[in-house]
Amino acid sequence: MANWQKVYSTEHSYRAEIIKDVLEDSEIHAVIVNKKDSSYNNFGAHEIHVLPDDVIRATQIIQNDIDFK
């Protein structure tokens, strides 16, 4: 996991799952890193990490293809 890079961060677990699924549909292996503090439900975030070779493509997909409005 040391070489993986964060491409997105959110407080909402469902958004992290959606982004992970969209990236994997585009053949980008993605993982969710839960940085939520278990003692404080509203503190921390869910981060999406990808391999360094996929950072640019993953970022473009997140910016251009995913809209949470």
Side-chain angles (χ1 to χ4, degrees):
M1 264 313 285
N3 293 333
W4 292 64
Q5 295 184 7
K6 179 176 72 168
V7 292
Y8 191 80
S9 180
T10 181
E11 293 181 3
H12 306 285
S13 62
Y14 72 91
R15 287 185 178 186
E17 290 291 342
I18 290 169
I19 290 173
K20 179 179 182 273
D21 288 345
V22 169
L23 292 176
E24 289 186 343
D25 285 346
S26 299
E27 298 181 2
I28 296 174
H29 188 63
V31 295
I32 298 173
V33 178
N34 185 350
K35 298 240 176 159
K36 286 275 195 183
D37 188 323
S38 61
S39 299
Y40 303 98
N41 246 356
N42 294 328
F43 183 73
H46 300 278
E47 297 179 349
I48 304 296
H49 290 242
V50 298
L51 293 170
D53 291 342
D54 295 324
V55 170
I56 293 171
R57 201 165 125 233
T59 303
Q60 289 174 338
I61 290 169
I62 292 167
Q63 289 175 350
N64 298 327
D65 298 339
I66 302 172
D67 187 13
F68 290 112
K69 294 181 182 177

